[in-house]
Amino acid sequence: MSEVLDVAKKDGRWTECPSCSEIIITKKLQENMWVCPHCEFHFRIGAKQRIDLVCDEGSFTAIHLEEHDADDLGAEAEEVLWGGTATIGGSQCVLGVMEFSYKGGSMGVLLGQYIILLMKKAQQSACPLIVICASGGVRIQEGIWGLLQMLRTSNARNATRDVPMITVFTDPTTGGVSASFASLADILLAEPGARIGFAGPRVIESTMKCTLPPDFQDSEKLLANGFLDRIVHRHDLKNSLSLFLRWF
Ligand SMILES: [Zn+2]
């Protein structure tokens, strides 16, 4: 029996939940928006799937980087962040969705540029901005230029502070993204069980010479300590976003 399971897992028909170890038929998992039906574990999903889950059907129209930025790195920035306009529950918004599977959703110079462009588009069109984050932080290979994006995006957020902004933290959102524009939104939402933080637990433990509780960067802990406004189940995300958009 276990051999049959192994084959079915390998070809993707069945998937094992990393949280409760139940074996789930992948198609059922997909129908359940990649949420484990046994323990509610939220699997990581791609930007395209997220757009399909939250936007009204066919309403997403991509916004591209300006022409002088659209070289190879520009194309890469658009792989890390899917930016565009969309309607959610009939309300218009500018939406950015980060793709963690592409180089850890890292923020380099052109990604910073792209985020700023989305902020400006939202301001010009008087629409709220929603960013669904998933990132390991700044692109460290770009050195100080990568780190500077924290400053640039925070500054741009300050300059467009009349634009209502909603951040949805998904697993994981860490480093320079959580520590810059993402946390400067008006409404901070998160998926259940998402890891959100700046430095990883091992780095903190070795620097502070202490032992951290296993859940200390989980969204539930952050909500309890006032860093988040609400934890939203993936099944309710579209409805919640549409409710908030109607407020603005
Ligand atoms: Zn499970």
Side-chain angles (χ1 to χ4, degrees), residues 17 19-20 36 38-39 41:
C17 171
S19 174
C20 69
C36 172
H38 304 282
C39 72
F41 174 79

Side-chain angles (χ1 to χ4, degrees), residues 188-235:
L188 302 172
L189 307 177
E191 283 197 332
R195 169 171 286 188
I196 307 156
F198 184 59
R202 263 175 306 166
V203 176
I204 300 174
E205 281 182 341
S206 65
T207 313
M208 306 288 289
K209 309 250 179 305
C210 64
T211 310
L212 296 164
D215 64 343
F216 103 109
Q217 285 177 326
D218 288 359
S219 46
E220 289 74 12
K221 193 83 170 176
L222 266 72
L223 179 73
N225 284 288
F227 287 97
L228 294 175
D229 295 307
R230 188 177 283 188
I231 292 174
V232 184
H233 193 287
R234 197 172 285 162
H235 291 169

Side-chain angles (χ1 to χ4, degrees), residues 121-144:
K121 290 273 179 200
Q123 192 176 42
Q124 283 160 8
S125 52
C127 279
L129 172 68
I130 298 174
V131 184
I132 302 182
C133 292
S135 174
V138 296
R139 184 166 295 176
I140 214 65
Q141 293 87 337
E142 293 186 15
I144 191 71

